[in-house]
């Protein structure tokens, strides 16, 4: 119960990794703010808990400043503080070649994957400064390092998220706020399994060429998040943790 009575805010909490994080942190004794766009999905994440009284849902769109500001105010109004922020919400792009991508789709992806974590951090950091302690974990991607895991908007957004992680570490690390990123490989969540786009490459083929030869489980990302954001990770500042079954290092073939 290393998170006993700590307040953990998780975006994109209604499915995939976010849902696994709600389970992980509530199981470790945290109060969990399950943030998401779709009420029924975040409700379900809380309903699945053996201790649902530890969590509360907050409906918000991370790409809309007024929605973020209101949500952070509500969380702090309810629990009085925020110890951990996990910027997990994200969307894929359409995998189209750059010259055919509409400006609208580019902006949609950037606004959720990059502006979202910026806005959430902007409104959470004043509370962490007041507490003189806090931890932010950004869920980036292998697409923070290489091309082909997404289209231009997804890859650019995830590269940008590492830049944001490093800049926030520089600005706030000495003030007690640790900021790190996790860069997952192919993880068995609705995003990767269905993708919301017919253009998603068949990842099974790529996965079988990695050392691990299997999908990552969302629970594995959740456990690494809990390690990084807690006191066990106290010396970790500004890092980006690849958790990909060896894909980036030793895959025999890119997908
Ligand atoms: N699954 C993978 O293989 C993989 C690999 C690397 C990185 N990631 C990243 O992991 C994170 C979690 O993704 P996942 O795989 O669990 O996918 P997912 O689609 O299951 O979860 C993403 C969640 O974010 C929410 N969301 C989207 N836009 C939002 C917005 N504007 N405001 C609030 N919530 C919003 C969605 O409703 C969804 O519940 C994402 O940032 C994704 O880019 C996923």
């Amino acid at each position: 119960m290393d998170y006993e009575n700590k307040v953990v805010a998780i975006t994109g909490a209604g499915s995939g990794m976010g849902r696994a994080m709600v389970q992980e942190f509530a199981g470790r004794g945290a109060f969990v703010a399950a943030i998401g766009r779709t009420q029924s999905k975040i409700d379900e994440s809380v309903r699945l808990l053996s201790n649902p009284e530890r969590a509360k849902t907050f409906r918000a769109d991370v790409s809309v400043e007024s929605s973020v500001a209101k949500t952070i105010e509500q969380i702090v109004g309810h629990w009085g503080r925020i110890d951990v922020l996990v910027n997990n919400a994200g969307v894929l792009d359409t995998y189209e070649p750059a010259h055919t991508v509409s400006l609208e789709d580019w902006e949609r992806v950037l606004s959720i994957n990059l502006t979202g974590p910026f806005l959430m951090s902007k409104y959470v950091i004043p509370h962490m400064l007041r507490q003189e302690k806090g931890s932010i974990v950004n869920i980036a991607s292998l697409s923070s390092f290489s091309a082909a895991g997404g289209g231009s908007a997804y890859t650019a957004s995830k590269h940008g998220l590492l830049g944001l992680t490093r800049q926030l570490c520089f600005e706030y690390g000495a003030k007690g706020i640790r900021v790190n990123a996790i860069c997952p490989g192919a993880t068995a969540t609705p995003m990767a399994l269905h993708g919301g786009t017919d253009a998603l490459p068949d990842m099974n083929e790529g996965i079988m060429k990695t050392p691990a030869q299997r999908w990552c489980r969302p629970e594995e990302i959740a456990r690494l998040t809990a390690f990084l954001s807690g006191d066990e990770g106290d010396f970790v500042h500004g890092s980006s943790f690849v958790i990909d079954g060896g894909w980036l290092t030793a895959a025999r073939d890119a997908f």
Side-chain angles (χ1 to χ4, degrees):
M1 302 299 264
D2 47 346
Y3 279 88
E4 190 78 58
N5 298 335
K6 290 196 173 159
V7 179
V8 178
I10 301 163
T11 67
S15 64
M17 297 181 202
R19 178 168 287 172
M21 289 171 197
V22 172
Q23 286 280 344
E24 184 69 28
F25 283 102
R28 290 169 178 243
F31 293 118
V32 177
I35 303 165
R37 265 191 316 196
T38 313
Q39 189 64 47
S40 57
K41 284 168 59 182
I42 45 179
D43 280 347
E44 180 66 3
S45 293
V46 172
R47 197 191 62 76
L48 289 168
L49 292 172
S50 60
N51 51 352
E53 71 287 352
R54 305 298 292 182
K56 191 168 159 48
T57 61
F58 296 87
R59 201 161 146 250
D61 184 331
V62 298
S63 66
V64 177
E65 183 161 17
S66 57
S67 175
V68 169
K70 191 174 115 206
T71 301
I72 301 309
E73 198 181 301
Q74 287 171 339
I75 296 170
V76 174
H78 189 69
W79 283 302
R81 56 189 293 117
I82 297 180
D83 298 286
V84 175
L85 165 64
V86 187
N87 284 313
N88 165 72
V91 288
L92 272 178
D93 60 17
T94 54
Y95 281 86
E96 288 169 72
H99 73 281
T100 65
V101 172
S102 68
L103 180 59
E104 191 187 6
D105 204 47
W106 169 270
E107 287 177 339
R108 176 185 67 86
V109 174
L110 269 289
S111 74
I112 296 171
N113 292 6
L114 184 54
T115 307
F118 161 70
L119 288 174
M120 289 295 298
S121 303
K122 174 179 164 160
Y123 284 91
V124 166
I125 283 170
H127 300 288
M128 292 182 168
L129 287 173
R130 178 173 50 78
Q131 297 159 196
E132 298 181 346
K133 191 167 176 176
S135 173
I136 298 174
V137 177
N138 294 321
I139 305 302
S141 173
L142 287 195
S143 296
S144 299
F145 302 101
S146 62
S152 53
Y154 189 78
T155 301
S157 71
K158 294 298 186 179
H159 273 66
L161 190 51
L162 281 201
L164 179 67
T165 302
R166 291 170 180 147
Q167 184 65 27
L168 294 183
C169 167
F170 171 74
E171 292 177 10
Y172 301 105
K175 295 178 175 144
I177 304 174
R178 293 187 303 106
V179 188
N180 292 288
I182 291 176
C183 304
T187 307
T189 70
M191 176 187 281
L193 294 173
H194 312 302
T197 166
D198 293 339
L200 188 69
D202 180 2
M203 293 225 263
N204 282 310
E205 209 180 298
I207 285 163
M208 290 318 288
K209 292 175 180 161
T210 67
Q213 296 185 302
R214 68 165 174 85
W215 289 83
C216 179
R217 291 183 281 273
E219 296 75 21
E220 294 175 289
I221 305 296
R223 281 197 292 276
L224 180 56
T225 307
F227 165 75
L228 267 184
S229 57
D231 288 340
E232 294 247 49
D234 189 56
F235 199 59
V236 188
H237 281 258
S239 287
S240 34
F241 278 72
V242 173
I243 169 167
D244 71 340
W247 189 311
L248 196 62
T249 308
R252 291 204 179 77
D253 195 0
F255 50 64

